Structure formats: C-alpha cells, structure tokens
Amino acid sequence: MTALPTVAVVGRPNVGKSTLLNRIVGRREAIVEERPGVTRDRKSVQADWCGRGFMVVDTGGWSASGGSLDAQVSAQAERAWRSADVVLLVVDVTVGLTPEDTRVANRVRCGGVPVLVVVNKVDGETREPDVWEFVRLGLGDPWPVSALHGRGTGDLLDEVVARLPPEGAEEPAGAPGGEDPSAEERVPGVAIVGRPNVGKSTLFNRLIGDERAVVHDLPGTTRDSIDTEIETPEGRLRFIDTAGMRRRSRIDRGTEYYSLVRALQAVDSADLAVLVIDAGEGVTHQDQRLAERIDAAGCPTVILMNKWETLDAEARADVSAQVADRLHFLATSPVIKGSALTGRSIHKLVPALGQAVDAYRRRVPTRELNQVVQAAQVAHPSPAGRVLYATQGATEPPTFTLFTNRELAPTYLRYLERSIREHFQLGNTPLKLRVRRR
Ligand code: GDP
Ligand code: GDP
C-alpha cells in the first residue's frame, strides 16, 4: 500500500487552522477551540479534492506553558516539513503580519517543501487589499481564504493538489534511497543531445572516465535506457541516456530522425542540456532545430563545439561567427570549444553545468530584488504602470511575482527581466515573471 501524500497546516494559535482543516475535510472532525493557545493533539484526517486523496495534518503543538515560543515554533515547523509534501502556513488578516508569523515562515522555508501562505479570515472583498502585506513573508503570493465561509478555499485546494507529487510517485516503503528525501537535493538531470556522430558518446565516456567521477547506473527515463549519476566537484549530476550512449556497438542509434526524437524526449525530462555540435561541419539546419527545441523546453544549455582540434584558424573564425548568428537565441549559453576525443577543454563542461544548476536553484533576497526593480524603474520609467513590490515565489526555475498598479507592456517586462537576470547573474537560466495587479 502506498501512503497518501501529506499536507501540513502550521501557524500560530487562533489564526483558524482547525477551521481550515474542517473546511478541507468537509466535516467537523478537527475540534475548534474558542480559547486561544489551547493545546491540541496533532490531528490527521483524510481529505480529497478533485479525486486526489491526501492527508491533512494540523501540526498543533502550541501552548502557553509548552516551553519557549522559539522552541515551539521550531518543533512545529520541523514536524511539518519532515512529514509533509506541502505546507500551508496560515496567517490571520484581521491581525496582520506578526513576528511569530515571520518566525514560522523562516523555519518552514528551510525544509525544502513547497509552502503556501494562506491568509485566513478574508471574509469579504474589503479585506482583500490587506492580504498583500503577507508577501513580506517571502513565500510567494498569499492565498486569501475564509475558512469559516469557504471563500477562496477551492482555488487554494486546486493549488495544493497541483503541488502534490504526481500520483503513483510515492516511494514504496523501504525503497533504497527513499529514507529521507528531504535530506538531499534532487539530482539534476542532464541530456547530452546532438545529431548522430557529433561525438556525444565520446563525450559521455570521457565524462564518466574522468577519475574524479564516481559513477552510479540508474534505471533511465525511457524503457531500456540506463541513466548514469556522476559525482563531480560541482555536486551530483544525472546524465540521461539519450541514445544508448553506453552501448556503442548498438547501431540503431543511427538515423537522424530517431536520434532527434530521442533527443527531444530527453530534453523534456532534463533540467539541463549539453548541445554537442560537430564544429567540422559547422552549425547545420538540424543543429538549429534542436537548439530551438531546447530553448522552448526552457532548459539551461551549455553548447559544446566539438572536434575543434580539426579546424584551422580560418575555419574557427567562421564557425564562431555561425554560432553567434544561427544560435543567437541561446546567446546567454556558455560555448565551449573543445575535443571529446582528446579531452581538450572538456574540463570546463562540468563547472559550466554547475553554474547553470546554481542559477536554476537561486533564491534571491527580497530586499535586494526590490532595490533592483526600483533602480531599473528609476533608470527607465515604464510608460504606463509601475511595479510596487516584487518577490521571488519559486525556484527551479527562478519565478518572480511583480505586484503592479496596472498592466505593464511586454517590452518593459523584458527590460525588467534583463535587469534582474544581470544583477543576480542568472546566466541563461529560464526566468518566469508573473504579474499581479493590485
Ligand atoms: P487555530 O487555533 O489556528 O486552529 O484556530 P481555530 O480554527 O481554532 O480558529 C480560531 C478562531 O477564529 C475561531 O473563533 C474561529 O471561529 C475563527 N475563524 C476561523 N476561520 C475564520 C474565518 O475565515 N473568518 C472569521 N471571521 N473567523 C474565523
Ligand atoms: P555520437 O553519435 O554523437 O554519439 O558520436 P560518437 O561519440 O560515436 O562519435 C562519432 C565519431 O566522431 C567517432 O568516430 C569519434 O571518434 C569521433 N569524435 C568524437 N569526438 C571527436 C573529437 O573531439 N574530435 C575528433 N576528431 N573526432 C571525434
């Protein structure tokens, strides 16, 4: 039997956690105490929304006499993220942001579990403007609800269900490596893609042959493929087996068409891509098509111009110009000119991938983000509308929410995106900007 995913409800006393729990479960199962600060046992009830079952846990655990406030906050937050797939941090709009809310937020943030800020007691529209204050918790857009009246709880549950792990993805108990998934970061998947004969297998074998690499084979993302995990100085990387790269004798990786299909599948399941191009042949139409697809998939990419040692100076200049011209949409991607066969410059590849992973996972400080956005607006005011406040709602990829007083022109958004990207050195990692009108 696989366990249901878990949603933990945290927050200080009296914000409406039990009421929300009742609302989610649809019956009066959790007990609502009218007195603040009453100790309650941890309550766990089963719920479902749109056919998706999950457990909701009220982490409880606050009491006037239960030790220092700080210790209680820590204990509650820790219980939540240890056991949960999604954490709901409940706050109270009628009280506003309190130092305790901030404390809980800071603790749950460390757990690496998605957290939704639920602003409760928004019983009517007049309360709506007060909701934005909670953006300052740095946990993304707040979700206004009235647990008592059911206002907004449907939208919230849609989001909760969307954040749960895909169905059937729960680790069966006792599976190897399934001990404590929160203890370790997910290993990013890298797809090495390119036309046949550009040198993908040679590159792959060189990477795993590197004496610093510790290699583990894992079942791959497609049937009868084997992914390979490599321990590198930049952390672990999982190389997705794109074309039976380990089995060089297999000739079926031959045709251009199938290799393209496989490459595209790999890119869709990858976090990062290495696009290998045979510099001897220059940037071909097929290379361009692949690059466009990688770009569309939103994969940060490192380009390897392979077989570089076979080119003379003139050819090198020509091919460099082709990269700038034909792959301009990957302009921010690092380009390595090297040789998988001789190993020349291949040592630059893993650090380039490491940087891409860092950028993909970067969380920027809210204060600095707002300084950057304000400075950009001063340097170059928008013709209409203004960003009032900005916050990073998510990572992988970095996702920013801009609270504005009006719609902003797409060109202006691109300008802001560039400013953010440059200031925080996000390289070619895909960024998402979401605009919320106040
Ligand atoms: P908990 O301590 O966080 O579990 O909070 P409770 O669920 O016990 O609720 C505390 C108080 O807030 C109770 O008196 C609830 O009736 C009230 N309450 C909960 N949700 C709402 C809401 O959406 N609107 C209003 N106006 N009151 C609420
Ligand atoms: P794949 O089809 O992309 O996996 O390409 P392979 O790795 O099988 O390489 C195709 C051919 O290119 C083989 O004969 C390799 O030895 C050769 N090759 C790969 N990398 C280089 C390189 O950097 N320089 C040269 N000169 N040949 C290379």
Side-chain angles (χ1 to χ4, degrees), residues 92 109 117 158 220 254 322 390 400 427 429:
D92 183 339
R109 202 200 326 274
V117 176
D158 285 346
Q322 283 178 10
F400 300 94
T429 217

Side-chain angles (χ1 to χ4, degrees), residues 300 332-334 355-356 359 362 421-422 424-431:
T332 48
S333 301
Q355 274 176 16
R362 179 90 42 87
R421 185 186 293 284
E422 278 167 19
F424 294 105
Q425 301 183 335
L426 291 168
N428 68 329
T429 217
L431 296 191

Side-chain angles (χ1 to χ4, degrees), residues 190-197 200-201 221-225 240-245 247 250-270 290 293-294:
V190 184
I192 300 179
V193 296
R195 296 183 300 108
N197 287 317
K200 296 182 295 298
S201 310
T221 44
T222 56
R223 207 153 45 87
D224 71 30
S225 70
I240 296 168
D241 183 46
T242 19
M245 285 187 300
R247 286 150 293 160
R250 278 195 28 190
I251 302 303
D252 76 338
R253 60 191 165 93
T255 79
E256 191 108 334
Y257 173 73
Y258 283 110
S259 85
L260 182 64
V261 170
R262 270 190 299 254
L264 298 183
Q265 282 171 349
V267 166
D268 286 338
S269 60
L290 253 175
R293 259 308 284 263
I294 295 172

Side-chain angles (χ1 to χ4, degrees), residues 22-345:
N22 285 329
R23 172 65 56 185
I24 295 175
V25 178
R27 44 179 194 265
R28 292 196 61 82
E29 183 136 0
I31 306 135
V32 177
E33 294 282 355
E34 293 298 330
R35 287 170 300 139
V38 180
T39 320
R40 264 194 316 264
D41 283 343
R42 210 168 151 209
K43 200 104 191 146
S44 177
V45 284
Q46 189 175 336
D48 82 81
W49 182 252
C50 298
R52 187 77 211 270
F54 53 93
M55 299 303 292
V56 196
V57 182
D58 180 349
T59 46
W62 296 69
S63 72
S65 58
S68 84
L69 181 67
D70 214 39
Q72 289 189 50
V73 174
S74 305
Q76 185 197 38
E78 196 173 318
R79 271 199 303 276
W81 85 62
R82 283 215 179 280
S83 57
D85 298 290
V86 175
V87 173
L88 301 182
L89 168 57
V90 185
V91 293
D92 183 339
V93 77
T94 64
V95 174
L97 186 58
T98 72
E100 288 155 293
D101 294 333
T102 307
R103 259 191 226 183
V104 191
N106 290 340
R107 294 293 154 73
V108 286
R109 202 200 326 274
C110 306
V113 174
V115 182
L116 301 178
V117 176
V118 179
V119 184
N120 191 30
K121 309 194 188 178
V122 184
D123 297 340
E125 228 162 66
T126 49
R127 286 285 184 195
E128 291 271 1
D130 302 332
V131 167
W132 298 110
E133 182 190 1
F134 295 95
V135 163
R136 278 165 45 203
L137 291 172
L139 288 165
D141 293 1
W143 292 84
V145 304
S146 167
L148 204 57
H149 305 298
R151 198 167 181 268
T153 49
D155 288 350
L156 173 67
L157 286 170
D158 285 346
E159 182 71 13
V160 167
V161 168
R163 301 285 189 109
L164 294 176
E167 228 158 339
E170 292 92 15
E171 293 264 5
E179 297 298 318
D180 187 2
S182 61
E184 233 172 274
E185 287 207 301
R186 211 172 52 83
V187 178
V190 184
I192 300 179
V193 296
R195 296 183 300 108
N197 287 317
V198 293
K200 296 182 295 298
S201 310
T202 311
L203 172 66
F204 177 70
N205 286 314
R206 180 157 291 280
L207 288 170
I208 64 171
D210 190 317
E211 56 192 79
R212 292 171 309 168
V214 179
V215 176
H216 314 270
D217 286 339
L218 310 162
T221 44
T222 56
R223 207 153 45 87
D224 71 30
S225 70
I226 298 171
D227 288 354
T228 306
E229 220 170 79
I230 302 185
E231 202 96 52
T232 76
E234 308 286 330
R236 280 193 202 183
L237 294 171
R238 178 172 53 88
F239 283 87
I240 296 168
D241 183 46
T242 19
M245 285 187 300
R246 311 272 326 251
R247 286 150 293 160
R248 304 216 39 190
S249 58
R250 278 195 28 190
I251 302 303
D252 76 338
R253 60 191 165 93
T255 79
E256 191 108 334
Y257 173 73
Y258 283 110
S259 85
L260 182 64
V261 170
R262 270 190 299 254
L264 298 183
Q265 282 171 349
V267 166
D268 286 338
S269 60
D271 301 299
L272 303 163
V274 178
L275 174 61
V276 184
I277 292 176
D278 184 338
E281 296 189 22
V283 180
T284 69
H285 183 64
Q286 190 77 277
D287 293 329
Q288 272 180 297
R289 279 188 59 196
L290 253 175
E292 275 160 11
R293 259 308 284 263
I294 295 172
D295 186 47
C299 253
T301 307
V302 177
I303 299 171
L304 173 64
M305 298 305 294
N306 196 28
K307 312 195 187 179
W308 197 250
E309 89 287 0
T310 63
L311 275 65
D312 61 21
E314 201 184 333
R316 288 180 179 187
D318 277 355
V319 174
S320 297
Q322 283 178 10
V323 173
D325 180 34
R326 298 185 188 165
L327 300 177
H328 58 88
F329 48 90
L330 292 179
T332 48
S333 301
V335 179
I336 294 168
K337 295 159 179 174
S339 170
L341 195 64
T342 67
R344 177 142 198 163
S345 292

